[in-house]
Amino acid sequence: MEHQRLKRIQKNILRGLAAVPLVLLAIFFIFTLFLNQSNRHPINKGNIEIPDKRTYVPRPNSALQQQLFHYWTDFDLFEWQDGEKVDVKVPRIVLSNLLLGIRIDEINQYLMRQQATGVSGSRWLLNPKGGYNFNTAGFTPLLYLFDEKPDRLYPQTRKHLIDHILTIKGNGFSRNVPFTWIQDSENHILMTGSSRYLVNQWMWNHGYKQREYNNKENGVKKGLVNYLREIKECGFYEYNSDPYLGYTFCALLNLEAFASGEVQKLARKLLDLANWYYALGSFKFKHFPPYRRLFRTDFRTGLKVDYHTAMMKVWTSFYTDTLDLQIERGQHHALWAAMLPYRPPDKVIDWTLSKPLPYFVKIGHGTNSCPEIYSGDPHYLLSAGGANQGKRSLIVAKPITLLLDDNAKTLEQTFHMSGPGQQMLDWNNTGVYKRFACTAGPVQVPNAYHPVETDENWSIYRIAANRLLAVYSQTGFGHFLHPSWKRCTKAAECPQFSQSGKKAIIH
């Protein structure tokens, strides 16, 4: 009996060992399915130039900037545990306190007790301590912001940072998930590459003359430049990403602030590109675009809660004090906009704060993706929700929304529509043209609005004192038309309408 029991145990162990390769293959398949971004193709150049002219003189500080600095100063710090991700709040607490000259002794003593808890790259079975690049990207600015301020960052603390905390440095530039041939996610590559480049640069400039810290010879500059060029030519893979766009921006802002030459110029171009997209795709800081990564079948319904909005509010606060700007979400990324020197081009500021002209624009994102489509003028923005291209595309589609100059804060407070069906994976919400939108689903009308006239499936809504909105809605089809070419004071003055089946005829 004992012999049979041992034999069964031995057989089970062998079965378990035999399953290990299958498990590893399954993991590699998942990475291939959801993370592989290689072999991207350049996007054809559009007919709208990315603005880069800067003539406006920003103020040296703003109320929102100072509010963000103070926001982080009262948080408690906690000791790091080996193998665990350090909370991303920690670098923000450290930086804000040192920037304001608060808790200086406490912060320095705290840093002296800490050691690196992980390594770079995505965390998975063969890289269980991955993700430490979130922290090195957060702590790298300490070297530069306080390089000549030994009364804030003590010399021994700075040395401890180099020796025991900023451990992503030295030779090489890698795009791959550790221990695989699969390309890592965009934000991980940029956080790791920017940290390695900037720590190496600081060390080389401060007497560490080993070849591994010379970015011109160790492969870091070459790899980083090639990757930044690829994003410039092919577009951001993780465009509008919730939550990863903020981490991508932190890496680029670090490079724009502290790198030099082509690396710095490319980082600025990419920031200008993404911010120009925001200026065209937002209205009064309401921003509800489709995005890629983190993939899920639901989405946040807030109109002002994405990380890009938080950063744009900070940047515009340096140019105007007439707006009551509040950060609703994303204070950890907004801090980077507040403390580093990058400022958007003039045209980005202008079009973020107001829309000077009526416009219609399609923003491409390459193959296996979907465009962002917008139609707007100084009074409204029609924002297409995009279309999922299958799970592997990682696209999170949203409803088509009409953004107005009102107090709407969530999707439910807007005119919006989506379809076909209720499942985001089935939607094609790209039906936006000049002042017009349609999709294979009914129009959802916010509770605050009531029709001034109706006719079967048609309704007319007053959306402003002198503006009306025509809405057609039934189970399988809906559209709305914004009569922005004419100021209507009453429904009778609005263009007459009729309908034949699912075709709207506007006379």
Side-chain angles (χ1 to χ4, degrees):
M1 291 292 291
E2 182 68 20
H3 175 71
Q4 290 178 344
R5 189 175 71 83
L6 291 173
K7 209 168 184 180
R8 283 198 302 272
I9 292 173
Q10 186 180 32
K11 188 179 292 186
N12 289 334
I13 292 173
L14 290 173
R15 285 176 179 170
L17 291 174
V20 169
L22 295 176
V23 172
L24 292 176
L25 284 173
I27 292 170
F28 289 158
F29 173 76
I30 291 171
F31 272 116
T32 302
L33 185 64
F34 290 110
L35 288 180
N36 197 1
Q37 305 158 32
S38 58
N39 299 319
R40 289 192 285 160
H41 301 288
I43 298 174
N44 293 332
K45 186 177 180 181
N47 58 0
I48 300 177
E49 293 294 328
I50 308 302
D52 59 7
K53 185 177 180 180
R54 292 169 169 85
T55 63
Y56 296 161
V57 180
R59 291 175 296 187
N61 51 61
S62 75
L64 185 57
Q65 174 199 48
Q66 297 303 309
Q67 177 185 321
L68 278 165
F69 289 167
H70 286 281
Y71 172 85
W72 292 103
T73 56
D74 293 331
F75 282 89
D76 293 329
L77 292 162
F78 47 85
E79 305 301 311
W80 306 355
Q81 301 298 319
D82 184 45
E84 294 184 5
K85 287 187 177 180
V86 179
D87 194 306
V88 295
K89 292 195 295 289
V90 172
R92 279 77 181 168
I93 300 168
V94 168
L95 284 160
S96 293
N97 277 283
L98 292 185
L99 284 166
L100 293 174
I102 300 172
R103 300 166 63 184
I104 294 176
D105 284 338
E106 177 193 351
I107 295 296
N108 278 271
Q109 292 171 21
Y110 169 79
L111 290 174
M112 290 293 291
R113 296 195 303 270
Q114 310 311 319
Q115 302 280 337
T117 63
V119 294
S120 63
S122 291
R123 180 174 291 213
W124 72 292
L125 180 65
L126 296 184
N127 196 44
K129 294 185 178 182
Y132 187 64
N133 40 272
F134 284 96
N135 303 106
T136 56
F139 285 115
T140 295
L142 287 169
L143 292 177
Y144 291 89
L145 293 175
F146 305 103
D147 189 22
E148 298 180 3
K149 297 180 179 179
D151 58 326
R152 301 285 179 94
L153 183 69
Y154 301 160
Q156 62 270 29
T157 308
R158 187 176 62 192
K159 187 176 187 308
H160 184 82
L161 273 172
I162 288 293
D163 293 341
H164 301 290
I165 293 178
L166 296 174
T167 52
I168 298 177
K169 56 194 176 191
N171 293 313
F173 178 90
S174 176
R175 299 186 181 197
N176 292 348
V177 174
F179 307 107
T180 79
W181 63 89
I182 298 162
Q183 185 161 301
D184 210 335
S185 57
E186 192 169 73
N187 69 95
H188 272 289
I189 296 171
L190 287 171
M191 285 189 292
T192 299
S194 63
S195 297
R196 192 182 302 277
Y197 180 91
L198 291 173
V199 173
N200 284 350
Q201 175 183 267
W202 190 92
M203 294 179 70
W204 180 262
N205 291 338
H206 287 75
Y208 296 81
K209 296 301 182 180
Q210 298 92 319
R211 183 183 179 279
E212 62 183 306
Y213 303 127
N214 186 347
N215 286 325
K216 295 180 180 179
E217 297 182 8
N218 60 14
V220 177
K221 180 180 179 180
K222 180 180 179 181
L224 185 57
V225 165
N226 287 339
Y227 190 65
L228 294 174
R229 285 175 179 170
E230 181 179 299
I231 297 175
K232 180 174 176 288
E233 294 173 0
C234 303
F236 287 95
Y237 183 83
E238 297 175 351
Y239 62 89
N240 299 325
S241 179
D242 186 1
Y244 298 117
L245 175 139
Y247 298 105
T248 291
F249 264 51
C250 289
L252 292 173
L253 287 167
N254 284 349
L255 291 173
E256 199 277 340
F258 308 126
S260 59
E262 188 173 7
V263 172
Q264 183 186 47
K265 291 178 182 177
L266 284 168
R268 177 177 291 188
K269 285 181 181 294
L270 294 181
L271 290 166
D272 290 350
L273 172 70
N275 287 332
W276 179 229
Y277 289 174
Y278 180 93
L280 295 173
S282 65
F283 186 77
K284 308 291 184 180
F285 297 106
K286 298 171 185 176
H287 190 220
F288 206 67
Y291 69 86
R292 172 144 56 190
R293 291 199 76 215
L294 183 63
F295 181 76
R296 50 184 173 235
T297 55
D298 61 353
F299 45 81
R300 300 180 192 277
T301 61
L303 303 178
K304 297 184 178 183
V305 298
D306 65 61
Y307 293 150
H308 205 161
T309 293
M311 288 183 280
M312 286 303 303
K313 283 184 174 181
V314 175
W315 283 318
T316 55
S317 74
F318 291 105
Y319 297 91
T320 178
D321 56 5
T322 62
L323 301 176
D324 181 20
L325 298 172
Q326 300 294 324
I327 305 296
E328 298 181 26
R329 175 174 171 263
Q331 287 86 347
H332 55 316
H333 295 312
L335 179 64
W336 254 247
M339 74 178 184
L340 297 185
Y342 171 85
R343 300 290 180 264
D346 298 352
K347 198 170 183 179
V348 170
I349 295 295
D350 290 340
W351 279 73
T352 298
L353 293 175
S354 64
K355 302 294 186 281
L357 301 167
Y359 68 103
F360 172 70
V361 65
K362 294 182 287 184
I363 301 171
H365 292 293
T367 57
N368 194 34
S369 187
C370 72
E372 295 176 62
I373 308 174
Y374 303 102
S375 173
D377 75 5
H379 304 282
Y380 77 97
L381 179 70
L382 272 173
S383 177
N388 180 267
Q389 306 294 309
K391 289 185 177 180
R392 188 177 181 182
S393 73
L394 301 180
I395 295 170
V396 177
K398 293 181 178 179
I400 295 172
T401 58
L402 175 61
L403 304 177
L404 301 170
D405 189 6
D406 58 14
N407 295 321
K409 292 184 177 181
T410 65
L411 174 66
E412 291 73 21
Q413 296 171 317
T414 70
F415 289 88
H416 64 278
M417 54 187 173
S418 58
Q422 301 297 315
Q423 300 298 319
M424 179 268 288
L425 292 174
D426 299 326
W427 288 350
N428 184 348
N429 295 329
T430 56
V432 167
Y433 194 56
K434 300 174 183 179
R435 304 183 299 273
F436 172 88
C438 65
T439 197
V443 177
Q444 305 298 318
V445 178
N447 293 332
Y449 290 89
H450 302 282
V452 295
E453 287 191 18
T454 60
D455 181 9
E456 296 186 10
N457 293 322
W458 283 96
S459 300
I460 298 291
Y461 295 88
R462 189 176 302 282
I463 57 175
N466 56 359
R467 288 181 178 269
L468 300 173
L469 177 72
V471 172
Y472 177 88
S473 181
Q474 64 179 33
T475 301
F477 178 76
H479 81 186
F480 37 68
L481 178 80
H482 191 295
S484 57
W485 67 89
K486 180 176 180 180
R487 292 178 176 270
C488 305
T489 58
K490 49 188 177 181
E493 295 177 356
C494 195
Q496 297 299 307
F497 56 84
S498 63
Q499 64 94 14
S500 174
K502 293 183 179 180
K503 183 179 180 182
I505 306 173
I506 308 299
H507 302 283

